């Protein structure tokens, strides 16, 4: 999927979802800076709708980029489920 497609899918989920949503990124194999931008756009959309959005299973590539950019702490992550 492209970022544009994922942005649209995310908007649909946010519009139809509950006040608190968890987005599992466990099936994402690789991510680049566009993925970081997508996460922050989803967070912006969630905030504009007074919804809480957290992420599960961020891929290593995305974690590494977020650390590099100094924004990892700004991405709400759910505790790992065991």
């Amino acid at each position: 999927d492209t970022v544009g497609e994922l942005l649209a899918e995310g908007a649909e989920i946010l519009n139809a979802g509950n006040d608190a949503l968890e987005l599992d990124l466990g099936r994402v194999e690789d991510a680049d800076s566009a993925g970081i931008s997508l996460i922050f756009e989803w967070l912006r959309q969630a905030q504009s709708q007074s919804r809480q959005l957290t992420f599960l299973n961020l891929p290593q590539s995305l974690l590494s980029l977020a650390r590099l950019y100094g924004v990892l702490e700004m991405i709400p992550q759910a505790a790992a489920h065991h």
Side-chain angles (χ1 to χ4, degrees):
D1 289 335
T2 67
V3 169
E5 292 168 336
L6 293 171
L7 184 60
E9 288 177 28
E12 287 179 25
I13 291 168
L14 285 168
N15 289 335
N18 300 323
D19 289 339
L21 301 166
E22 287 185 346
L23 186 58
D24 188 345
L25 300 181
R27 293 181 57 199
V28 175
E29 295 176 7
D30 196 28
D32 57 17
S33 58
I36 298 278
S37 296
L38 180 61
I39 283 176
F40 281 102
E41 179 56 24
W42 281 337
L43 287 169
R44 187 196 67 72
Q45 289 179 5
Q47 184 178 21
S48 74
Q49 297 177 28
S50 299
R51 299 207 167 139
Q52 180 182 1
L53 178 60
T54 55
F55 296 91
L56 294 161
N57 302 314
L58 293 172
Q60 190 58 49
S61 56
L62 201 138
L63 289 170
S64 296
L65 278 175
R67 268 190 217 96
L68 179 68
Y69 297 154
V71 298
L72 183 58
E73 297 76 28
M74 299 169 67
I75 300 173
Q77 297 181 60
H81 295 139
H82 297 285

